[in-house]
């Protein structure tokens, strides 16, 4: 899906003005296997010398954000981070917005997971808490300090989203009408998904961050690859899908670029850090 045609590239550049904020998904957009690609890191560093604000928009829990991403925030390369699918956003000064799950919502989610006999986790600002373990999770918890086994964590802690992990590709809770509970199931992988309030999305987090910075969403750009990027793509002024993005997301994109390995982000952004004024 990588658009290599020079005419198409030039056409994109002529109709896209310099964005005031660029929002980036992490996994399979900036990073592979949890590690940011060096050329993507270099591009963010170059963009940090412009007037464009750089914001992460991810489904990941705040408690397990990659260290290399957090280091970019600490170094003032990134301006802010939206995590947990818009449920929590923050910058170096602290929290910008958050939307905790209610006790009624967590009780409903737990019942649905138990009915489907699925291991699940709840995410807080400091931990991810699992309802059960298997061999893979024991290995993960052993090397992840903020990942714990506590099936009742949600009862006494503020949590923002639940994630479920399927035993096979067919077991996707597709028979559950989440809307009747004012919830939704958002797939981020063929074997996993997040359970969220129906109004939750990366788009809500983006609105909060835009209000915080006094920027209109139409003046923003976003990069993503997964189904939890759909609302984000529908909101911003210009949406860019990675070359290996989900087909339904590609259909909603304004432009389809290359994969990480094909320097897809650079294809779109080089004109902005080459010509933008310095901060």
């Amino acid at each position: 899906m990588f658009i290599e045609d020079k005419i198409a590239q030039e056409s994109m550049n002529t109709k896209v003005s310099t964005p005031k904020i660029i929002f980036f998904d992490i996994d399979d957009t900036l990073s592979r296997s949890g590690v940011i690609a060096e050329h993507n890191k270099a591009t963010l560093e170059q963009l940090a010398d412009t007037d464009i604000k750089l914001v992460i928009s991810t489904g990941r829990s705040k408690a397990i954000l990659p260290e290399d991403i957090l280091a970019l925030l600490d170094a003032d390369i990134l301006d802010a981070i939206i995590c947990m699918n818009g449920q929590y956003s923050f910058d170096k000064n602290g929290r910008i917005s958050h939307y905790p799950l209610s006790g009624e919502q967590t009780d409903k989610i737990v019942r649905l997971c138990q009915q489907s006999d699925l291991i699940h986790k709840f995410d807080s600002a400091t931990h991810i808490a699992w309802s059960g373990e298997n061999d893979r999770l024991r290995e993960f918890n052993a090397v992840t300090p903020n990942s714990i086994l506590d099936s009742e964590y949600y009862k006494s802690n503020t949590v923002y989203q639940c994630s479920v992990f399927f035993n096979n590709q067919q077991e996707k809770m597709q028979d559950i009408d989440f809307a009747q509970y004012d919830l939704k199931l958002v797939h981020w992988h063929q074997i996993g998904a997040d359970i969220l309030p129906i109004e939750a999305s990366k788009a809500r987090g983006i609105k909060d961050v835009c209000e915080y910075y006094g920027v209109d969403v139409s003046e923003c750009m976003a990069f993503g690859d997964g189904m939890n990027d759909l609302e984000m793509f529908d909101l911003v002024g210009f949406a860019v899908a990675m070359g290996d993005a989900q087909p339904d997301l590609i259909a909603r994109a304004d432009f389809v670029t290359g994969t990480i390995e094909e320097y897809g982000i650079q294809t779109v952004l080089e004109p902005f850090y080459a010509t933008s004024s310095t901060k």
Side-chain angles (χ1 to χ4, degrees):
M1 296 300 297
F2 182 21
I3 297 181
E4 296 180 297
D5 187 272
K6 184 177 179 181
I7 295 176
Q9 177 66 50
E10 291 175 349
S11 174
M12 183 202 73
N13 291 339
T14 58
K15 71 178 181 178
V16 180
S17 58
T18 301
K20 292 188 177 179
I21 305 178
I22 304 175
F23 295 93
F24 297 93
D25 175 52
I26 296 178
D27 296 294
D28 301 323
T29 298
L30 286 176
S31 305
R32 277 287 190 230
S33 302
V35 178
I36 190 169
E38 283 299 320
H39 56 279
N40 285 340
K41 179 183 176 184
T43 292
L44 293 179
E45 291 170 343
Q46 289 174 292
L47 286 167
D49 288 330
T50 74
D51 293 320
I52 302 169
K53 292 191 178 297
L54 308 176
V55 179
I56 293 296
S57 182
T58 180
R60 277 180 176 252
S61 165
K62 183 176 185 292
I64 56 169
L65 288 170
E67 289 297 324
D68 52 11
I69 295 296
L70 292 174
L72 292 174
L73 181 67
D74 290 339
D76 296 318
I77 304 301
L78 294 172
D79 292 279
I81 295 178
I82 299 167
C83 56
M84 295 184 275
N85 293 297
Q87 292 289 87
Y88 195 104
S89 61
F90 65 101
D91 66 3
K92 286 182 70 173
N93 295 318
R95 192 173 65 204
I96 296 172
S97 66
H98 75 138
Y99 302 94
L101 295 175
S102 68
E104 182 180 3
Q105 288 171 325
T106 55
D107 288 343
K108 287 178 180 177
I109 290 170
V110 169
R111 286 198 298 271
L112 291 173
C113 291
Q114 290 175 340
Q115 289 169 10
S116 298
D117 194 26
L118 292 174
I119 290 177
H120 59 278
K121 69 173 175 66
F122 279 104
D123 299 347
S124 75
T126 58
H127 291 85
I128 59 174
W130 299 87
S131 65
E133 276 191 322
N134 53 32
D135 290 342
R136 184 176 180 182
L137 287 179
R138 273 186 285 274
E139 293 178 4
F140 178 79
N141 288 341
V143 297
T144 309
N146 296 330
S147 182
I148 60 175
L149 176 62
D150 186 347
S151 62
E152 297 192 346
Y153 180 85
Y154 69 95
K155 293 183 179 180
S156 55
N157 294 274
T158 300
V159 294
Y160 296 92
Q161 72 176 7
C162 176
S163 299
V164 290
F165 297 83
F166 307 114
N167 296 324
N168 57 64
Q169 294 185 22
Q170 287 72 45
E171 189 181 284
K172 296 184 179 181
M173 303 179 85
Q174 297 300 321
D175 58 331
I176 298 174
D177 180 12
F178 284 91
Q180 69 175 309
Y181 306 110
D182 293 322
L183 299 169
K184 62 181 177 181
L185 183 75
V186 181
H187 287 277
W188 44 263
H189 191 274
Q190 63 185 8
I191 61 166
D194 297 318
I195 302 176
L196 296 157
I198 202 163
E199 67 273 14
S201 70
K202 290 185 179 184
R204 181 163 66 171
I206 286 174
K207 289 178 182 177
D208 293 336
V209 168
C210 284
E211 181 178 355
Y212 181 69
Y213 288 121
V215 173
D216 192 275
V217 293
S218 66
E219 300 174 293
C220 299
M221 177 183 286
F223 287 81
D225 71 286
M227 296 304 290
N228 61 350
D229 296 317
L230 285 171
E231 292 93 343
M232 175 171 77
F233 271 34
D234 288 343
L235 178 68
V236 299
F238 198 80
V240 182
M242 303 302 290
D244 49 0
Q246 293 293 315
D248 286 348
L249 188 73
I250 286 175
R252 303 269 269 273
D254 295 299
F255 190 77
V256 182
T257 191
T259 64
I260 292 175
E261 293 74 20
E262 294 169 327
Y263 287 69
I265 286 175
Q266 289 69 35
T267 297
V268 177
L269 296 184
E270 184 177 8
F272 301 132
Y273 56 77
T275 61
S276 294
S277 60
T278 59
K279 288 184 179 178

